[in-house]
Amino acid sequence: DSGVTQTPKHLITATGQRVTLRCSPRSGDLSVYWYQQSLDQGLQFLIQYYNGEERAKGNILERFSAQQFPDLHSELNLSSLELGDSALYFCASSPGQGKSYEQYFGPGTRLTVT
Amino acid sequence: EDQVTQSPEALRLQEGESSSLNCSYTVSGLRGLFWYRQDPGKGPEFLFTLYSAGEEKEKERLKATLTKKESFLHITAPKPEDSATYLCAVQTVYNQGGKLIFGQGTELSVKP
């Protein structure tokens, strides 16, 4: 158990809908990262937040957005869903900007768009 | 462009048959190289971080090494429970934040 929690574990929804994925980082970690894993693309970085502020962005679609709240939990919002958005979505956390760069991953949310 | 390539894509071993997995990287400036283990449908599990060429780290039957162009994950006398996908990832000094750039992984299968 990494200490990172994600809810829900599974999500099945229809095209055009909007969903919210939730992540709670390990106790004391200030950075939260979101990754998407699909069969053809592998693990791809989406976005990072550090202590409530957006820190870095990857190839995140405009239909996707995220935020980190004062209690450091994070939410990833996916809207106007398409079939191709079906994937595993992982959240990871790390202590922050110092030497400890290791990221610890949560169990993931499996999103199926039908 | 920063890139990570893992080989082989899949590896089948008999229990006790030692082998190595390769991770080649091309980056503008390496901050750290990471190895993760991932079981099907689960999140990647952190194994090792290597920061500089010549560094080695060990954990049970696994040993990770790093050169200026690649990293190896050596598996000594593997057991069936070592079966998983092993992922290599890099962090670069020029990327804002700490995003990981992952390779496609090596799927390891160890048969009894």
Side-chain angles (χ1 to χ4, degrees):
Chain A
D1 184 358
S2 67
V4 179
T5 61
Q6 290 186 248
T7 57
K9 286 187 179 180
H10 302 278
L11 203 47
I12 301 174
T13 189
T15 54
Q17 296 298 306
R18 172 189 168 95
V19 297
T20 297
L21 313 184
R22 183 187 169 106
C23 166
S24 291
R26 295 186 317 158
S27 177
D29 283 358
L30 299 178
S31 276
V32 169
Y33 308 78
W34 286 98
Y35 292 85
Q36 179 191 58
Q37 187 174 40
S38 58
L39 283 174
D40 56 342
Q41 293 288 326
L43 262 168
Q44 299 286 321
F45 169 74
L46 295 177
I47 197 164
Q48 178 203 359
Y49 278 81
Y50 173 74
N51 204 19
E53 300 290 326
E54 183 183 302
R55 188 78 175 90
K57 244 179 177 178
N59 294 327
I60 188 168
L61 299 171
E62 286 191 10
R63 302 183 284 109
F64 295 2
S65 64
Q67 54 184 324
Q68 186 179 28
F69 295 85
D71 67 352
L72 300 178
H73 91 272
S74 178
E75 293 181 356
L76 180 67
N77 300 295
L78 315 176
S79 62
S80 302
L81 286 167
E82 301 175 359
L83 295 177
D85 297 327
S86 296
L88 272 166
Y89 291 84
F90 290 106
C91 164
S93 74
S94 71
Q97 311 286 65
K99 183 66 173 176
S100 297
Y101 300 127
E102 292 89 4
Q103 293 179 23
Y104 294 86
F105 283 76
T109 293
R110 181 177 293 279
L111 173 66
T112 303
V113 182
T114 61
Chain B
E1 182 185 351
D2 299 324
Q3 201 166 7
V4 178
T5 304
Q6 291 187 244
S7 61
E9 289 185 9
L11 182 62
R12 293 184 181 182
L13 299 174
Q14 288 296 126
E15 185 172 1
E17 180 186 2
S18 302
S19 188
S20 296
L21 282 55
N22 177 264
C23 171
S24 298
Y25 61 91
T26 306
V27 298
S28 47
L30 183 70
R31 174 186 280 172
L33 185 140
F34 303 80
W35 282 98
Y36 286 86
R37 168 193 170 125
Q38 186 176 25
D39 293 302
K42 299 198 173 179
E45 174 191 345
F46 172 74
L47 293 174
F48 303 108
T49 310
L50 301 166
Y51 292 108
S52 56
E55 191 174 357
E56 298 182 353
K57 290 204 176 159
E58 286 188 68
K59 179 181 178 180
E60 295 180 356
R61 295 177 292 282
L62 300 177
K63 178 180 177 180
T65 62
L66 181 66
T67 72
K68 289 187 176 179
K69 293 184 178 181
E70 58 192 349
S71 176
F72 292 94
L73 185 65
H74 307 276
I75 303 177
T76 302
K79 298 182 178 182
E81 53 262 41
D82 294 322
S83 297
T85 295
Y86 290 84
L87 298 166
C88 169
V90 298
Q91 271 182 351
T92 71
V93 297
Y94 299 110
N95 279 320
Q96 216 176 10
K99 76 172 189 180
L100 293 175
I101 302 167
F102 280 89
Q104 291 293 95
T106 293
E107 186 177 351
L108 174 66
S109 174
V110 182
K111 299 298 182 186

